[in-house]
């Protein structure tokens, strides 16, 4: 029987300054023992997601500052970081990325730390890490992630069109990989169901490779030779006519994602801490340039040294909550039903957790400790 990992939770109810959100972050940081693995003058990455321009569900910069200050108090040198996106958008290169960082309030005057785009100007700052797993022998990880001595992974837990949900593992996998690594994880073949296409052009506007065009029937067509599998067209299609073979392609995708997460922390054994915020649990990732209504009421903040356990706990807490009617759920799902499977019924995101446990990233068995 596997040993239960500790996952600390602070629910959002507050009645004094001692229990406000900032105080909760500080307490979780301390109880989870993050300071214990930080070393004097060590460069410590705070891995987060600043949100696509137009999205507003990302982690609040003022809460990130509490993490930064705790790291500095422990004697280490914190910096905020993420990598550029595979799809076209407001974070496709380092210049656009940093403009979005400032627009969303993640400048050092608010957070107390500089922001470093970990894979460089055009995503070319990366190195290969040996993992020797089923899908990959090596994975490409951003150079500045590798060079950081330790890392605190701050995640906003939410739904995701292809992964089911996104938390710490997805934050590591996609967020620590350069474009070439993101492409390797996706490696999917998208097609357009011609009978459902309304020729709106939404897919054309977001494709970074110009792989989509209208054919002679004025229906969208994807050139498989040009497509890099980023999935942005899938996200923006209003009629959901862009598809993959969900039965055969999703499980390998989840395993590729997990193996990248494994590689992202391979050189930081016992030097990574995880904070996950269960607030504004939206149906889609913060990569989309909008934020839909939350699907459950705000729950609280989690902290752990185990990425598998913290994701499992976050998933279980959302499942145990009552779904909000008139959200993307369309009905008030009762406590105990899988909200993410209801939203994205072609993908069971818990399979990623099972695979992560299998390859030794952590344990799905956890002890939830209220603080």
């Amino acid at each position: 029987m596997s040993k239960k990992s500790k996952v600390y939770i602070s629910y959002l109810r507050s009645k004094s300054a001692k229990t406000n959100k900032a105080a909760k972050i500080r307490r979780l940081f301390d109880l989870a023992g993050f300071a214990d693995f930080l070393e004097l003058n060590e460069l410590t990455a705070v891995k987060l997601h600043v949100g696509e321009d137009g999205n507003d569900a990302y982690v609040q910069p003022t809460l990130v500052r509490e993490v930064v200050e705790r790291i500095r108090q422990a004697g280490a040198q914190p910096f905020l970081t993420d990598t550029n996106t595979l799809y076209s958008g407001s974070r496709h290169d380092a210049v656009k990325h940093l403009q979005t960082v400032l627009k969303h309030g993640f400048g050092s005057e608010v957070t107390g730390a500089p922001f470093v785009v970990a894979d460089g100007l055009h995503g070319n700052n990366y190195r290969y890490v040996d993992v020797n797993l089923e899908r990959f022998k090596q994975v490409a990880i951003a150079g500045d992630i590798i060079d950081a001595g330790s890392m605190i992974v701050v995640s906003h837990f939410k739904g995701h069109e292809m992964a089911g949900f996104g938390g710490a593992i997805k934050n590591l996998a996609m967020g620590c990989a350069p474009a070439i690594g993101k492409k390797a994880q996706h490696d999917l073949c998208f097609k357009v169901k011609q009978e459902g296409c309304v020729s709106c052009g939404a897919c054309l506007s977001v494709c970074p490779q110009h792989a989509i065009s209208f054919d002679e029937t004025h229906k969208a067509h994807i050139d498989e030779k040009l497509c890099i599998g980023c999935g942005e067209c899938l996200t923006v299609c209003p009629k959901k006519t862009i598809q993959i073979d969900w039965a055969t392609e999703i499980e390998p995708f989840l395993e590729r994602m997990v193996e990248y997460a494994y590689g992202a922390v391979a050189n930081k054994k016992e030097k990574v801490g995880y904070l996950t915020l269960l607030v504004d649990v939206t149906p889609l990732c913060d990569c989309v340039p909008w934020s839909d209504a939350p699907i459950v009421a705000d729950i609280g903040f989690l902290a752990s040294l185990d990425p598998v356990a913290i994701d499992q706990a976050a998933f279980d807490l959302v499942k145990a909550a009552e779904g909000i009617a008139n959200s993307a759920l369309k009905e008030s799902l009762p406590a105990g039903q899988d909200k993410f499977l209801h939203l994205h019924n072609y993908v069971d995101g818990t399979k990623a957790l099972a695979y992560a446990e299998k390859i030794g990233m952590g344990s799905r068995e956890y002890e939830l400790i209220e603080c």
Side-chain angles (χ1 to χ4, degrees):
M1 183 176 178
S2 60
K3 182 181 178 182
K4 289 186 177 181
S5 295
K6 292 181 179 180
V7 177
Y8 296 89
I9 182 168
S10 183
Y11 294 100
L12 283 193
R13 290 297 308 277
S14 179
K15 297 181 180 180
S16 71
K18 293 181 179 180
T19 58
N20 64 26
K21 291 178 181 178
K24 293 178 189 296
I25 294 292
R26 293 192 296 268
R27 182 165 175 77
L28 286 167
F29 189 103
D30 295 343
L31 288 174
F34 294 167
D36 294 343
F37 61 73
L38 300 177
E39 298 179 23
L40 185 64
N41 294 323
E42 179 177 63
L43 294 176
T44 300
V46 179
K47 174 63 187 73
L48 45 75
H49 190 313
V50 303
E52 191 69 9
D53 188 15
N55 185 289
D56 59 12
Y58 48 83
V59 176
Q60 295 177 31
T62 52
L63 297 180
V64 174
R65 186 182 185 99
E66 300 301 328
V67 177
V68 166
E69 290 182 349
R70 272 300 195 256
I71 293 170
R72 191 167 283 122
Q73 288 168 12
Q77 299 184 59
F79 67 96
L80 313 184
T81 195
D82 196 5
T83 56
N84 297 316
T85 60
L86 179 61
Y87 57 84
S88 59
S90 70
R91 296 172 300 121
H92 187 61
D93 60 55
V95 174
K96 291 179 181 177
H97 203 148
L98 290 171
Q99 289 172 339
T100 306
V101 164
L102 295 176
K103 185 174 181 178
H104 287 184
F106 288 92
S108 58
E109 67 276 19
V110 176
T111 63
F115 193 100
V116 176
V117 179
D119 58 337
L121 191 62
H122 289 294
N124 295 320
N125 176 24
Y126 65 87
R127 298 198 293 277
Y128 284 99
V129 174
D130 293 333
V131 293
N132 295 312
L133 294 167
E134 184 174 343
R135 301 290 174 180
F136 297 110
K137 298 305 178 186
Q138 293 183 318
V139 296
I141 302 298
D144 291 336
I145 295 290
I146 292 175
D147 290 341
S150 53
M151 183 158 58
I152 306 296
V153 181
V154 182
S155 306
H156 167 223
F157 199 78
K158 66 279 180 187
H160 190 272
E161 191 116 38
M162 292 170 60
F165 55 83
I169 289 175
K170 185 177 180 300
N171 194 353
L172 287 173
M174 293 295 174
C176 293
I180 192 172
K182 291 178 171 71
K183 183 179 179 181
Q185 290 176 70
H186 284 86
D187 192 25
L188 300 164
C189 182
F190 290 90
K191 295 184 178 180
V192 181
K193 292 172 62 177
Q194 297 290 296
E195 62 273 18
C197 177
V198 295
S199 307
C200 67
C203 55
L204 277 73
S205 66
V206 299
C207 180
Q209 297 298 105
H210 306 292
I212 306 176
S213 60
F214 284 137
D215 61 19
E216 64 278 2
T217 65
H218 303 290
K219 302 292 185 180
H221 172 77
I222 299 175
D223 186 333
E224 294 182 15
K225 293 180 180 179
L226 295 177
C227 177
I228 57 175
C230 69
E232 193 67 4
C233 57
L234 177 76
T235 299
V236 301
C237 179
K239 297 298 182 180
K240 302 303 178 187
T241 60
I242 297 175
Q243 301 287 319
I244 62 172
D245 186 345
W246 300 106
T248 62
E249 295 207 54
I250 282 297
E251 194 161 343
F253 163 73
L254 293 174
E255 291 180 356
R256 291 193 296 269
M257 186 179 73
V258 169
E259 292 187 7
Y260 256 79
Y262 181 97
V265 295
N267 73 329
K268 295 178 178 55
K269 187 175 178 59
E270 299 180 354
K271 297 277 289 180
V272 185
Y274 301 89
L275 276 168
T276 294
L277 279 63
L278 277 171
V279 296
D280 288 324
V281 183
T282 49
L284 291 175
C285 181
D286 296 342
C287 290
V288 299
W290 69 85
S291 296
D292 199 353
I295 59 173
V296 296
D298 289 349
I299 297 171
F301 304 155
L302 303 175
S304 182
L305 298 175
D306 184 334
V308 181
I310 201 169
D311 273 3
Q312 184 68 59
F315 171 82
D316 290 343
L317 286 160
V318 173
K319 183 177 180 180
E322 185 172 336
I324 297 176
N326 300 318
S327 67
L329 294 173
K330 298 180 181 178
E331 58 183 283
S332 180
L333 289 187
Q337 286 199 20
D338 185 343
K339 313 303 183 297
F340 301 115
L341 196 58
H342 182 86
L343 289 169
H344 313 297
N345 59 13
Y346 38 77
V347 52
D348 178 1
T350 63
K351 289 184 177 180
L353 303 184
Y355 187 65
E357 183 177 54
K358 177 183 176 181
I359 65 174
M361 281 197 72
S363 172
R364 297 178 72 182
E365 296 291 325
Y366 60 91
E367 176 187 4
L368 194 62
I369 304 168
E370 186 174 352
C371 60

